Amino acid sequence: IDYPREITKTIPLPPGGRADFMVRCSNVGSTQFSALTRDTLTVVSQGSDITRVDARDGITSSAVPEDSKNGTNLLNAQVTTDLTSWQPASYPDYLQSVMEMPPSDGCTCPFVLKGYGDTSRMNGKTYRSGNNFQHTTYLGAIVQRELVGIYEHSYHQHIYPFQLVSGFEETEYFHYGDWHDTLLDEDGKKSSGVTTWVIRYQTTDIGGKMMVHCHNTMHADHGMMAKEYVRDMMADVGGSCECDIFGPISGAGLIEDDVGQVTVMGSVKEEAAKEEVDENGGSTISYCVAVVTSCAAMIVSLLLD
C-alpha cells in the first residue's frame, strides 16, 4: 500500500467514510474544501503564513511553523521536499491482505443497492428484524461480495473492513488493495461504465450478526439495510457459507440469544419488567398499559410542541 498519496482532484469520501489528509501549500493562493455542496474549509497561503478560515463562522487563525532552535521557517524549508513513503509496521489479523487468496467455496454473494424512499432495497428486499438474514459465513472464511449500485448509494458494513479487489478503474484515491468499511463511487460509472465492485475480507475472530446498509441514513431507514450472520465455527467442523437466504437461519454456530432476539434501545427486558411489576403487586398487563399510555403521552406532547 502506497502512502502518502497525492490527491489533486475530488476526495470521494462517502457519508461516514474516514481518511487522513494533509494539506501542503507550495504557492500563494487559496484552496476551498466543501462537503455535500456546502463550503467547509478554506486554506489560504500568504507567503510563509497559512491562514485557516472556518466557513461556518468566519473564525481565522494563523500559524508559521518554525524551528525553535534556529528560527528557520519550516514551511518554506519543507514545502518542496518529496514526502517519505510510509506504511504501518504490522497489521492485525483482520487486515491481512486477501488480494491473492481466492474466496472460500460458496462465499461469493451479491449486494445490489437500488431505489429511493419506499423503494429502497438491498437485493430487492427491505429490511426485516429478528431472525431474517441475507447471507451467512463462518469464522476463517475468505468472503467476497459483489457490489452493484454504489455509484449512487454508499455501501457500509459493520465489524469487518473490506479490501478492494477488482471491478473498478484505479484513481488517485481508489487503489486495488485499499481497505474501507464504507464505499461510494459517484464518478466511476460515468467515467468507465463500471457497475460492479468486488470486495473481499476474512472473518477472523468475531462471530454473530453483521449489519450492512446504505450509509445515507434516510435510505437505510426506508429499508436499504440487511443482516449477515457469521457462524461461530470453522470450516473443519462444518462451517459453510450461504447466499440469498432472505429468511430465518438455524443449526450449528449460532450464538445463544443472538439470532431471533430484537433489542430496542432504551427498552427493559421482559423478564426484568415482569419481576419489577410483580414485586410492586401489579400485573404485567397493567404495566404494559402504563408503558403504552406513557408513550402516547410523549407523542402527543411532541406534536403539541
Side-chain angles (χ1 to χ4, degrees), residues 16 34 56-57 74 130 136 139 141 155 164 167 178 188 197 207 219 229 233 236 247 249 254 256 259-260 264 271 289:
S34 62
R56 293 168 295 179
D57 52 23
L74 297 182
T136 62
L139 291 180
Y155 172 85
L164 305 184
D178 286 352
W197 286 51
H219 299 169
Y229 199 91
M233 60 191 302
D236 57 359
I249 60 174
L254 302 185
E256 185 178 2
V259 175
V264 179
E271 293 81 4
V289 170

Side-chain angles (χ1 to χ4, degrees), residues 192-237:
S192 65
V194 172
T195 58
T196 303
W197 286 51
V198 179
I199 63 172
R200 196 176 294 163
Y201 60 95
Q202 184 171 22
T203 49
T204 52
D205 54 5
I206 301 177
K209 291 181 287 190
M210 188 179 89
M211 298 299 302
V212 297
H213 56 90
C214 176
H215 222 295
N216 182 318
T217 53
M218 290 189 294
H219 299 169
D221 287 346
H222 276 99
M224 193 173 287
M225 182 162 53
K227 294 194 301 289
E228 295 202 29
Y229 199 91
V230 182
R231 292 182 183 270
D232 192 19
M233 60 191 302
M234 307 290 285
D236 57 359
V237 292

Side-chain angles (χ1 to χ4, degrees), residues 17-18 33 72 121 142 201 217 232-233 265 275 298-299:
R18 298 174 298 279
F33 292 85
T72 303
R121 301 288 186 269
I142 305 299
Y201 60 95
T217 53
D232 192 19
M233 60 191 302
M265 298 302 294
E275 290 175 4
M298 289 175 62
I299 294 171

Side-chain angles (χ1 to χ4, degrees), residues 16-290:
R18 298 174 298 279
D20 294 326
F21 285 90
M22 177 175 64
V23 178
R24 186 172 66 166
C25 301
S26 58
N27 295 295
V28 173
S30 64
T31 300
Q32 179 68 50
F33 292 85
S34 62
L36 300 176
T37 71
R38 299 178 181 177
D39 292 342
T40 57
L41 182 70
T42 302
V43 176
V44 181
S45 176
Q46 299 172 331
S48 60
D49 179 31
I50 291 181
T51 301
R52 183 179 69 82
V53 180
D54 193 315
R56 293 168 295 179
D57 52 23
I59 296 176
T60 63
S61 61
S62 299
V64 181
E66 291 185 349
D67 186 325
S68 59
K69 293 182 179 180
N70 56 29
T72 303
N73 186 292
L74 297 182
L75 179 65
N76 287 339
Q78 295 181 359
V79 74
T80 58
T81 304
D82 290 336
L83 297 175
T84 302
S85 297
W86 171 88
Q87 68 177 28
S90 61
Y91 292 88
D93 289 344
Y94 65 88
L95 289 180
Q96 296 299 317
S97 178
V98 291
M99 290 290 292
E100 304 303 324
M101 302 174 69
S104 302
D105 290 343
C107 295
T108 299
C109 307
F111 267 122
V112 179
L113 289 71
K114 186 176 181 180
Y116 293 94
D118 292 339
T119 65
S120 298
R121 301 288 186 269
M122 294 194 77
N123 288 343
K125 304 291 184 179
T126 188
Y127 176 75
R128 295 177 62 194
S129 61
N131 187 359
N132 288 280
F133 295 85
Q134 292 221 4
H135 311 312
T136 62
T137 60
Y138 58 92
L139 291 180
I142 305 299
V143 182
Q144 182 163 293
R145 296 291 176 257
E146 298 175 345
L147 309 180
V148 177
I150 58 169
Y151 55 87
E152 56 184 352
H153 295 288
S154 53
Y155 172 85
H156 172 68
Q157 70 179 39
H158 293 197
I159 313 298
Y160 292 105
F162 51 80
Q163 198 166 20
L164 305 184
V165 174
S166 65
F168 67 96
E169 290 188 353
E170 289 190 314
T171 64
E172 291 179 331
Y173 184 81
F174 291 118
H175 285 203
Y176 289 122
D178 286 352
W179 290 93
H180 294 263
D181 63 14
T182 308
L183 187 61
L184 173 68
D185 182 29
E186 293 180 314
D187 298 326
K189 184 180 179 182
K190 298 176 186 176
S191 62
S192 65
V194 172
T195 58
T196 303
W197 286 51
V198 179
I199 63 172
R200 196 176 294 163
Y201 60 95
Q202 184 171 22
T203 49
T204 52
D205 54 5
I206 301 177
K209 291 181 287 190
M210 188 179 89
M211 298 299 302
V212 297
H213 56 90
C214 176
H215 222 295
N216 182 318
T217 53
M218 290 189 294
H219 299 169
D221 287 346
H222 276 99
M224 193 173 287
M225 182 162 53
K227 294 194 301 289
E228 295 202 29
Y229 199 91
V230 182
R231 292 182 183 270
D232 192 19
M233 60 191 302
M234 307 290 285
D236 57 359
V237 292
S240 62
C241 291
E242 189 175 359
C243 300
D244 301 331
I245 301 169
F246 306 131
I249 60 174
S250 60
L254 302 185
I255 299 173
E256 185 178 2
D257 296 329
D258 186 45
V259 175
Q261 179 177 332
V262 178
T263 302
V264 179
M265 298 302 294
S267 66
V268 180
K269 285 189 176 181
E270 182 181 349
E271 293 81 4
K274 198 170 184 179
E275 290 175 4
E276 182 180 347
V277 172
D278 291 342
E279 288 176 0
N280 293 332
S283 66
T284 304
I285 295 176
S286 62
Y287 174 79
C288 293
V289 170

